Amino acid sequence: MTLKTSGQISERDEFIFPVHTRTIAQIRYDIRGQVMTVVYHDGRSRTTTGIEGSAMLRILAQRPLEPSPFLLRTVI
């Protein structure tokens, strides 16, 4: 499965969410591995495992994201 989110193409089962904060550039989420990766503007990244989909949506709800067709379909 390939998903295009805000102009970026994600790898299979991975979603990329561009974020608008001073430090965070994007949040990536791998559904199968339940892995969340936070990518910072300076190129650093932090990975957290064991993040369920519902928890991921709560995390994303706290960040100013670009409009995402995936989130709109999921939340509605």
Side-chain angles (χ1 to χ4, degrees):
M1 177 176 112
T2 301
L3 176 73
K4 187 172 180 179
T5 306
S6 299
Q8 295 183 355
I9 298 176
S10 302
E11 294 297 319
R12 183 181 178 129
D13 300 322
E14 180 184 55
F15 298 95
I16 299 172
F17 302 99
V19 179
H20 296 291
T21 68
R22 278 192 258 169
T23 55
I24 300 173
Q26 62 183 220
I27 296 176
R28 296 178 181 199
Y29 183 62
D30 176 8
I31 293 174
R32 287 187 188 233
Q34 295 184 333
V35 176
M36 178 183 75
T37 303
V38 177
V39 180
Y40 298 93
H41 287 291
D42 64 4
R44 296 179 298 126
S45 65
R46 297 280 188 257
T47 301
T48 306
T49 59
I51 304 291
E52 293 182 15
S54 58
M56 184 65 196
L57 289 174
R58 285 193 301 272
I59 291 167
L60 291 172
Q62 298 173 8
R63 302 283 175 238
L65 300 171
E66 286 186 8
S68 167
F70 169 74
L71 283 179
L72 292 174
R73 282 194 312 270
T74 303
V75 173
I76 295 172

